[in-house]
Amino acid sequence: MGRDAPAAPRMAAPAAAHAAPAVGDADRRRARDIHVAIVGGGGTGAAILHDLTQRGLRCTLFERGELTSGTTGRHHGQLHSGARYAVGDTDIARECMEEVTILRRIAAESIEMNYGLFIALDDDDVDYTAAFERACSESGIPNRRLSTTDALRHEPGMNPNARHAVMVPDGTIDAYRLPLQFLATARAGGATIRTFCEVTGIDSSDGRVSGLTVRDYRSGRDERIAADVVINAAGPWAGSVAALAGVGLPITPAPGTMVAVKGRLCNMVVSHLHPPGDGDIIVPQRNLSIVGSTQWKVDDPDAIRTPPDDILRLLDRARELVPAFAGAEFHAAWTAVRPLSGRTDAGGRELSRNFQVIAHASDGAAGLFSVTGGKATVLRAMGEAVADDVCRFTSLAIAGRTADTPLLAHREFFRRQERVHEPV
Amino acid sequence: MSRSDDRAPAAHGAPEVRAEIRIRRTDGSRSVFSVDAGEYTTILDALEEIRTVHDRSLLYRHSCHHGSCGTCGVIANGERVLACTTRITSDEPLDLDPLAPFPVIGDLAVDATPLYADFPTDASYLRDSDARPNATDPVAPEEVGRFTRFENCIECGICVSVCPVVRPFKGPAALAAYGREIEKRPDREAELLAEIDAPDGVAGCDRALNCSAACPLGVYPAKHIAVLKRKIDARRADYSP
Ligand SMILES: Cc1cc2nc3c(=O)[nH]c(=O)nc-3n(C[C@H](O)[C@H](O)[C@H](O)COP(=O)(O)OP(=O)(O)OC[C@H]3O[C@@H](n4cnc5c(N)ncnc54)[C@H](O)[C@@H]3O)c2cc1C
Ligand code: FES
């Protein structure tokens, strides 16, 4: 592999140790006979596939388009330390920080780990700072207050009129290559991945799922596939996938716009030190700088057009954080849809970013699990939580080991090609 | 509520064009669709609308929608482009074809596997950051050590698609990756140069320079190949009597 990740002396301790499981041979043999079908090839589906494959279950992932073509590939690209959510959404804040530590260990090549600055622009922000720092510390997020002079030494791109800054371990993710690392590792472990295959039906008998109907768009054919467990990891589309089994799922698809300009105007993630709002984060990535995002709600996550108003508003906001946005050349504007857990009559910002794994046994579909909410940053933890539930459901005493397993490089996804596109 | 419904795409007085998109399908035919394009509408936006509104069976690759993942390369009216950063600006018919010579999975979706076959093993995808937002050089905080960033190359395959060489050839993307890895890891130079000192390595390049002209990320593969060739020649000279 390439270089080691930079040393991080002030990072929090890794998540609770994942002890090696004492797995009986009987469980191992039984695991191989359990077929798990995963619906959705975003980061969440990728991490579930990796975890369950590593635990020895037979897994097939179905993605209706290209891998990560839903929300995952399009997200803002921020590796969240959790600081953004620390005030008020503590569980996801803590989870993010634990996962930052783990991902740096298992997937360092998909992360620009340059940390982040939350900058205070006015009196309100200055007043908010102490609560922010306290909340970060309570969630295990290392934070350090910097004077504007010190912050500018690290990040000359930030607004020089800021009042002060707080540094936290934020970073940039390659939204496509991080999930590819999970998928490459899963496939090398024997998992099957089928792209351009849309799940169009979920079969069940006697209150228990028994398989799927899948339309393979390459062959144009419909197929019935038997499965002992079905996992709905369809992101903002999870509501319509659950409906295939006659199950209602509380989920709020909430789109948001992002705008990229040419030029790497900062190295560190620059955020506004205030409660989460529109256009208050700038994520540098390669030779681009990306401002995001906005938020509204929709019923159908498909075919959403990027509102031109959002583009101008985001560019305005970006200049307050990184003034060089003013002269920067427009590169791209696009929209992604959050799969927020729960339902709301308000705008959606008040919904927790935490994730939920829902077992649908009480809905008459035992063996069907849905996962909603979360962040791309916590994909591994989501995979582990789902896999734990699947193991409980199938009475397998096999613990997860993904926190301690370095992932294959993203290119290995293509270099170890044997099983891609292979029908089950 | 759907804000996308009540916000017209051309809200800023941008001229809205009705574009005719003619897509090459798996069976060789062309499907024709009309799409309203506003100021910011890209080829990928149009494909998304066609798939989700008109034809769910349309196959194409996409992920990031902003020129970072490298999955969305297509041939648009004969030109190799990223669909996600190429805006639709005229109502001229737009012919879309899959990115030759990659094997077609279906419609516009190609299999990227051949692109990766000859990349150097264990090459790092990270590099030191070259950002200089202001005149002063940023000083990375001690927690960070030094600022890093991803490589420029997004592995989109456009350089390979425009390369005229038809003999067995590792190709511009893989050779550029060799060049970058040797720049970052001089200790691997001998090992890596040996791998590309072959008829299908740097010697395969005819210096057409199409790759450097077409690369949407400014990687300049031909420049890397020229540097690698000089390094190989220099090593040969060192060893000759
Ligand atoms: C604007 C915005 C910015 C964000 N920024 C960040 C950020 O900076 N950092 C961060 O950590 N998180 C961020 N997030 C959150 C993050 O993007 C999501 O939490 C995460 O990507 C969700 O991944 P997923 O796999 O659950 O969903 P998805 O990526 O949407 O995956 C679901 C997949 O299921 C497929 N599918 C749907 N229906 C079917 C079917 N019937 N059959 C087969 N396949 C189907 C879809 O095509 C899709 O690929 C952001 C989200 C948004 C909207
Ligand atoms: S969709 Fe990622 S480069 Fe175009």
Side-chain angles (χ1 to χ4, degrees), chain B residues 102-116:
Chain B
F102 293 98
V104 175
I105 292 172
D107 301 335
L108 300 176
V110 296
D111 180 357
T113 308
L115 177 75
Y116 291 90

Side-chain angles (χ1 to χ4, degrees), chain B residues 63-129:
Chain B
S63 173
C64 73
H65 290 227
H66 62 277
S68 292
C69 70
T71 59
C72 72
V74 290
I75 304 181
N77 284 347
E79 210 185 318
R80 272 79 168 162
V81 295
L82 295 177
C84 67
T85 50
T86 307
R87 286 195 255 176
I88 297 175
T89 50
S90 91
D91 53 8
E92 295 286 300
L94 183 63
D95 284 355
L96 296 180
D97 289 274
L99 194 67
F102 293 98
V104 175
I105 292 172
D107 301 335
L108 300 176
V110 296
D111 180 357
T113 308
L115 177 75
Y116 291 90
D118 292 314
F119 269 68
T121 353
D122 292 342
S124 167
Y125 197 59
L126 288 173
R127 58 190 276 183
D128 285 342
S129 173

Side-chain angles (χ1 to χ4, degrees), chain A residues 180-424:
Chain A
L180 269 192
Q181 290 201 257
F182 282 84
L183 293 163
T185 313
R187 207 176 51 205
T192 304
I193 296 169
R194 296 189 60 185
T195 53
F196 301 109
C197 282
E198 179 159 357
V199 173
T200 54
I202 297 178
D203 305 324
S204 52
S205 59
D206 300 330
R208 199 183 160 118
V209 293
S210 55
L212 301 173
T213 308
V214 170
R215 165 149 295 187
D216 183 337
Y217 286 119
R218 284 173 304 140
S219 64
R221 279 198 304 269
D222 292 325
E223 291 171 45
R224 297 291 282 276
I225 287 151
D228 305 292
V229 174
V230 174
I231 296 167
N232 171 12
W237 294 272
S240 42
V241 170
L244 297 175
V247 169
L249 189 69
I251 178 168
T252 302
T257 301
M258 287 144 288
V259 183
V261 298
K262 291 188 202 302
R264 193 178 174 90
L265 307 178
C266 46
N267 269 317
M268 305 175 79
V269 177
V270 178
S271 307
H272 190 175
L273 181 47
H274 73 167
D278 284 359
D280 53 3
I281 310 175
I282 291 168
V283 181
Q285 178 244 97
R286 293 189 175 74
N287 203 27
L288 298 174
S289 304
I290 302 165
V291 57
S293 62
T294 54
Q295 180 160 317
W296 69 98
K297 295 185 294 175
V298 293
D299 295 325
D300 177 6
D302 272 334
I304 291 170
R305 285 201 163 196
T306 300
D309 280 354
D310 278 13
I311 299 173
L312 299 183
R313 199 150 48 87
L314 286 171
L315 290 171
D316 268 353
R317 295 285 288 116
R319 288 195 274 271
E320 293 173 24
L321 298 171
V322 172
F325 256 86
E329 187 184 340
F330 174 89
H331 176 69
W334 70 102
T335 298
V337 187
R338 299 171 185 86
L340 298 181
S341 296
R343 291 208 181 91
T344 177
D345 291 330
R349 289 249 183 241
E350 72 292 350
L351 285 177
S352 168
R353 262 46 182 179
N354 211 350
F355 66 83
Q356 268 187 303
V357 184
I358 300 160
H360 293 296
S362 59
D363 302 318
L368 174 66
F369 296 83
S370 292
V371 53
T372 59
K375 301 296 293 180
T377 301
V378 301
L379 78 173
R380 190 212 63 87
M382 293 171 79
E384 186 172 74
V386 171
D388 284 348
D389 280 8
V390 169
C391 284
R392 259 190 297 277
F393 175 74
T394 51
S395 308
L396 290 170
I398 307 176
R401 290 180 288 122
T402 56
D404 301 314
T405 312
L407 297 168
L408 290 176
H410 77 268
R411 287 179 186 138
E412 296 303 315
F413 181 80
F414 296 97
R415 291 161 67 97
R416 305 187 186 195
Q417 177 63 9
E418 316 81 55
R419 290 188 185 85
V420 81
H421 308 315
E422 174 198 282
V424 277

Side-chain angles (χ1 to χ4, degrees), chain A residues 66 109 154 156 267 297 305, chain B residues 1 36 61 125 129 134 139:
Chain A
E66 173 56 284
E109 288 271 306
H154 300 321
N267 269 317
K297 295 185 294 175
R305 285 201 163 196
Chain B
M1 184 201 79
D36 290 334
R61 298 177 70 221
Y125 197 59
S129 173
N134 287 343
V139 181

Side-chain angles (χ1 to χ4, degrees), chain B residues 3 17 39 62 70 75 86 93 95 100 103 112 141 167-168 188 193 214 225:
Chain B
R3 201 166 63 174
V17 297
E39 183 181 357
H62 64 115
I75 304 181
T86 307
D95 284 355
R167 301 178 298 277
R188 293 191 74 187
L193 286 182
I225 296 173

